[in-house]
């Protein structure tokens, strides 16, 4: 996925069963100056699976706990099984649980506390998890 900031939006899907989180994240995204971000929102993993199947999403912010699922260990694999290959980030009010240590085993790329999300954090995540930061010539090109 290549992000051309002037020509293309970064399409982010927020999956959270609390609609207030959508409002809060939308406000925080307005503070990101270096990237145009379009935020879509669904309240459950079924809706998220339907959206990622369309291929219209670049990145997913997934709430750790979605009813009726226990946590991301059940929901993130559903997005991967639906064919989503972009970055998935788990957002939670508490990321201190030991099971978070193994987040990559479930197809998750990063985790972040909801209280840590701000314009700077989002800018870092975008730079880190899009191909924008890679040079035009990668070492893989010479294999």
């Amino acid at each position: 996925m290549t992000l051309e900031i002037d020509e293309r939006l970064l399409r982010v899907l927020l999956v959270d069963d609390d609609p207030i989180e959508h409002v809060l994240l939308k406000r925080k995204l307005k503070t990101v100056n270096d990237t145009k971000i379009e935020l879509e929102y669904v309240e459950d993993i079924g809706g998220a699976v339907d959206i990622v199947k369309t291929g219209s999403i670049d990145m997913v912010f997934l709430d750790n706990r979605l009813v009726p699922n226990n946590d991301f260990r059940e929901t993130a694999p559903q997005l991967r099984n639906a064919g989503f290959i972009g970055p998935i980030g788990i957002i939670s009010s508490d990321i201190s649980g030991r099971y978070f240590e193994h987040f990559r085993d479930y197809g998750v790329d990063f985790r972040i506390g909801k209280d840590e999300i701000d314009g700077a954090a989002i800018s870092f995540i975008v730079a880190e998890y899009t191909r924008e930061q890679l040079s035009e010539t990668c070492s893989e090109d010479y294999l």
Side-chain angles (χ1 to χ4, degrees), residues 14-22 41-45 61-71 75 91 114:
L14 172 63
V15 186
D16 198 312
D17 52 7
D18 183 356
I20 297 298
E21 295 297 334
H22 176 232
Y41 169 72
V42 294
E43 294 182 355
D44 58 45
I45 195 64
F61 285 172
L62 178 62
D63 187 25
N64 179 40
R65 296 198 181 273
L66 296 171
V67 176
N69 305 94
N70 287 326
D71 56 47
T75 54
I91 61 172
K114 288 181 180 180

Side-chain angles (χ1 to χ4, degrees), residues 28-29 31-32 112-124:
K28 291 176 182 183
L29 289 176
T31 67
V32 178
I112 187 168
K114 288 181 180 180
D115 61 334
E116 299 174 295
I117 298 174
D118 61 14
I122 293 168
S123 292
F124 174 81

